[in-house]
Amino acid sequence: MSNLFESALGPFKKAAEKLKLKEGYREILTNPERALVAYIPVKMDDGHIKIFKGFRVQHNDACGPSKGGIRFHPQETIDTVRALSMWMTWKCAVSDIPLGGGEGGIICDPHDLSSNEQEQLCRGWVRQIARNIGPVQDVPAPDVMTNAQHMIWMMDEYESLSNGRYPGTITGKPVELGGSLGRTEATGYGVVYMIREALKEMKIDIQKTTASIQGFGNVARYAAELFIEYGGTVVSVSSWDQTDKKAYSFYKKDGIDLKELLDITDRFGSIDKKKAEKLGYEILPGDDWLTHKVDILVPAALENAITKDTVKNIKESVKLIVCGANGPITPEADDILDKRGVIVIPDFLANSGGVVCSYFEQVQSNQNYYWTKEEVLGKLDNKLTDAFYKVWELSQRKKIRVQDAAYMIAISRVVEACKLRGWI
C-alpha cells in the first residue's frame, strides 16, 4: 500500500514547481511545526493496564489555530497523521477560513473496547496533550471511528484540567452541548455542492447522471441523499461488513433506495447482505463500486481507493471523480486519470464541508450564540461554491488540472501568511 505521506507530498511538489516556490519555503511546508507522540495508560474492564499509542501533528498554524480530526484506527501511523495534518492546512486555506492544519490518531479498534474503556482512552489522550490544544491553539474534531460522544468526553476532560468552560476547544459535539446544526450533513453535502457546480461547468444536467459511491458512512450517506434530492441516480454504495471483516458493494441498476438500505444497516455501518439481496441488490466484492458504467465516482471511505492497479477498472463513461475521502487516489492513478480526461475534484477541496462547518461551530461556541440549520447550510453552500469557482477559474485560465489549481491557491495563501508573520 502506498505511504499516505508520500501521496500527500506528490501533488504539493507539483504545485510548488508551478509556483516556483523557494526551496526553504518547501522545507517549511513539507514538515510539521510539531509532532507529538503520547502513550496512554487505560485500566481495562478486566483490571489489567494497557498502553495505547497516540499522535497529534500540528502542520502549520500561520493562518490560525490548528484544526483537524482525531481518529481511532488499528493501523494508524504517524505518517498517516502527518499527511492528514498537511491536507488539513491546504483544506482550510483553499476554503479561506482562518485555521491551520492538524490531525490526531490513536492506535486502537473501538469495536474491541467497551464504552468505559473508550472514555478512559479519550480522557487519557487529552491529559497527555492538553498543553498543546485549546480554542486558540488546536481544535480537534471527530474522524474515522470517533463520534460526538468521544468529543464530549475530550471536551469535559479539557475543561476539568483548565477549570473553566471552553466549548470552542472541540468541534463535532452534540448539538445539546455546543455542537452546530448541519454539522452531520456538512461533508457529504459539500461533496455534492462540488458535483453540482462541476457539472454546470461541464454542461451536464445532474438529473441525467449516475454515480457510484465508495462507503456507507456519514459522508457517503449524506452525499447520496443530496445527490438523489437533486435528481441524480446512485447505483452503488459499498459497506464494510463487521462480521466478515471486508467490504461489499451493493448494486442496483435503477438506483438505490437510501432509506431502505439505512433500515437494514447496523450501528457499525454494515448493510445486511441477505436482506439487501431480497430487496433486489446485487452483492458484489468491495472494490466493484468503481467498475460500474456511471458518470461520477465518489470515493468516500479510506485512503488509496484508486491506485495504478485499480484505475484500469474505471469505465470510460466516468467523467468526474469527487473525493469525499482523504487521499483516495494515488499520484500514479491521478496521472492516468488526467490522461483520460477525467476531471478530479481533490479531497481537500471536495470534502472541506466538514472543516468549514467545524469552523462555524467553533465561532458559535466561542460566541455562545447559535445559528439555525438553514443558516449553517446556506453559509456552507456559499463558502464552498466560492472556493470551487476560485479554483475552477484558475484551472481554466492556466489550463491546468483542478487539483493543481487548488493546491496553488492553498499553498500561496499559507506562504503569504508565513511571510506576513515574518516566519520566512
Side-chain angles (χ1 to χ4, degrees):
M1 180 175 288
S2 173
N3 179 292
L4 199 64
F5 186 64
E6 292 301 317
S7 294
L9 284 180
F12 169 81
K13 289 176 180 177
K14 288 181 182 178
E17 285 295 322
K18 292 181 185 299
L19 290 167
K20 297 181 170 52
L21 210 61
K22 293 179 181 177
E23 186 59 36
Y25 295 0
R26 299 185 196 199
E27 283 294 310
I28 289 171
L29 296 179
T30 54
N31 289 289
E33 292 173 2
R34 293 165 215 91
L36 311 172
V37 179
Y39 294 89
I40 308 151
V42 171
K43 186 175 183 180
M44 307 299 281
D45 290 348
D46 64 5
H48 85 278
I49 303 296
K50 183 173 180 178
I51 304 296
F52 292 85
K53 188 176 182 179
F55 313 100
R56 187 69 181 175
V57 174
Q58 295 158 348
H59 175 255
N60 188 286
D61 58 8
C63 294
S66 300
K67 184 81 191 76
I70 164 70
R71 48 170 47 194
F72 291 170
H73 200 279
Q75 277 83 50
E76 195 59 84
T77 69
I78 188 66
D79 277 343
T80 299
V81 176
R82 285 172 70 200
L84 293 168
S85 70
M86 178 185 286
W87 271 317
M88 187 59 78
T89 297
W90 313 141
K91 191 178 294 189
C92 294
V94 80
S95 304
D96 201 19
I97 56 176
L99 296 170
E103 181 69 20
I106 298 174
I107 302 171
C108 71
D109 187 340
H111 299 121
D112 298 332
L113 302 175
S114 69
S115 178
N116 172 61
E117 290 165 343
Q118 290 180 53
E119 179 177 354
Q120 285 194 66
L121 188 57
C122 290
R123 292 181 182 277
W125 184 75
V126 169
R127 285 196 299 273
Q128 297 284 25
I129 67 163
R131 296 180 184 85
N132 297 95
I133 63 171
V136 295
Q137 272 186 287
D138 181 3
V139 183
D143 203 318
V144 175
M145 290 199 278
T146 55
N147 56 39
Q149 180 60 71
H150 296 123
M151 297 306 106
I152 284 301
W153 287 327
M154 291 179 187
M155 185 188 79
D156 185 70
E157 189 67 22
Y158 181 86
E159 290 184 338
S160 297
L161 294 168
S162 304
N163 193 30
R165 290 287 175 263
Y166 302 98
T169 298
I170 301 279
T171 61
K173 305 182 296 293
V175 172
E176 296 84 353
L177 284 174
S180 176
L181 294 168
R183 175 63 184 86
T184 306
E185 300 93 337
T187 308
Y189 276 23
V191 166
V192 179
Y193 296 153
M194 295 292 158
I195 292 174
R196 180 192 67 199
E197 299 308 320
L199 290 176
K200 284 180 187 176
E201 293 302 310
M202 298 164 71
K203 305 293 189 290
I204 297 173
D205 183 352
I206 193 170
Q207 296 185 12
K208 296 177 180 177
T209 60
T210 54
S212 180
I213 300 176
Q214 183 204 28
F216 203 58
N218 186 67
V219 178
R221 292 178 192 182
Y222 284 104
E225 177 184 272
L226 189 59
F227 184 71
I228 293 169
E229 190 177 310
Y230 281 157
T233 302
V234 178
V235 300
S236 176
V237 295
S238 70
S239 167
W240 180 260
D241 190 289
Q242 184 60 26
T243 303
D244 295 349
K245 300 295 182 185
K246 64 180 182 179
Y248 294 93
S249 289
F250 296 79
Y251 174 77
K252 186 180 275 191
K253 185 178 180 180
D254 296 331
I256 69 164
D257 182 319
L258 187 61
K259 184 180 182 305
E260 72 179 8
L261 283 182
L262 288 173
D263 286 344
I264 58 170
T265 301
D266 66 20
R267 65 190 180 94
F268 298 116
S270 300
I271 299 171
D272 189 304
K273 298 190 295 300
K274 290 182 179 178
K275 290 181 180 178
E277 205 162 24
K278 288 180 181 178
L279 291 169
Y281 291 85
E282 289 184 53
I283 315 303
L284 304 169
D287 288 342
D288 275 27
W289 69 275
L290 56 71
T291 67
H292 302 302
K293 188 178 179 180
V294 294
D295 305 295
I296 304 158
L297 292 177
V298 181
L302 289 173
E303 56 271 1
N304 297 321
I306 302 175
T307 67
K308 64 179 181 180
D309 296 320
T310 62
V311 71
K312 63 179 180 291
N313 298 323
I314 295 175
K315 295 288 191 290
E316 292 296 327
S317 62
V318 173
K319 306 172 187 71
L320 177 67
I321 299 179
V322 181
C323 300
N326 290 312
I329 306 176
T330 64
E332 299 90 347
D334 211 4
D335 290 339
I336 294 168
L337 291 167
D338 182 47
K339 289 174 184 174
R340 286 175 50 175
V342 178
I343 292 174
V344 176
I345 309 297
D347 47 13
F348 69 97
L349 174 61
N351 67 26
S352 61
V355 72
V356 171
C357 200
S358 282
Y359 165 59
F360 293 162
E361 180 180 334
Q362 185 188 7
V363 170
Q364 293 170 81
S365 289
N366 290 341
Q367 291 181 336
N368 199 26
Y369 179 79
Y370 293 86
W371 309 334
T372 65
K373 185 175 180 178
E374 290 72 24
E375 284 180 288
V376 172
L377 294 178
K379 291 175 189 291
L380 179 70
D381 194 346
N382 290 339
K383 195 71 171 165
L384 295 184
T385 300
D386 181 65
F388 171 84
Y389 278 106
K390 281 185 168 61
V391 170
W392 186 266
E393 186 277 330
L394 181 62
S395 74
Q396 297 300 298
R397 178 161 48 87
K398 295 279 190 180
K399 299 191 186 322
I400 57 177
R401 298 187 299 183
V402 173
Q403 53 268 54
D404 291 338
Y407 270 103
M408 289 171 70
I409 288 173
I411 292 166
S412 296
R413 285 175 176 165
V414 176
V415 168
E416 184 62 18
C418 291
K419 285 181 179 178
L420 289 170
R421 288 181 178 276
W423 294 359
I424 55 178

